[in-house]
Amino acid sequence: MFVREVMVKNQVGLHARPATFFIQKANEFKSSIWIEKEERRVNAKSLLGILSLGIVGGTNVKVIADGADERAAVDALIELVDSGFSEENR
């Protein structure tokens, strides 16, 4: 299992569009991936799960992965969040 924490920097947070980008990136990996906010953990490959966390800009979240490509998965998702979900990082 590999875990890293990141602050969501874009102003709107993880609403539908950035959450979709996040899920698309998560689905590129075989590992099980979760996103956690304040002890609440959801499947990072589930739009409803991510939206249910209500992640707004300035929120710290943990990205957690477990599997063969766990480190690569977490690093790629952290990079996406750090980019503010910009076009060139998808």
Side-chain angles (χ1 to χ4, degrees):
M1 186 174 289
F2 187 66
V3 181
R4 280 182 61 196
E5 191 166 318
V6 65
M7 179 188 286
V8 177
K9 296 174 186 161
N10 62 321
Q11 293 179 355
V12 294
L14 269 177
H15 67 85
R17 187 174 172 150
T20 300
F21 298 150
F22 190 89
I23 292 161
Q24 288 171 342
K25 182 59 76 178
N27 278 314
E28 293 176 13
F29 300 94
K30 292 181 177 142
S31 293
S32 296
I33 306 170
W34 301 273
I35 187 165
E36 184 175 279
K37 174 189 161 198
E38 299 168 357
E39 307 302 317
R40 188 153 170 254
R41 185 181 292 187
V42 299
N43 183 344
K45 298 179 182 181
S46 163
L47 181 61
L48 209 50
I50 291 175
L51 293 178
S52 74
L53 291 177
I55 298 167
V56 296
T59 301
N60 284 323
V61 297
K62 288 181 183 172
V63 179
I64 304 153
D66 190 20
D69 53 3
E70 61 191 28
R71 185 175 294 268
V74 171
D75 288 344
L77 290 166
I78 296 287
E79 184 179 324
L80 179 65
V81 172
D82 278 342
S83 77
F85 303 92
S86 65
E87 299 285 328
E88 64 272 6
N89 289 303
R90 284 188 275 129

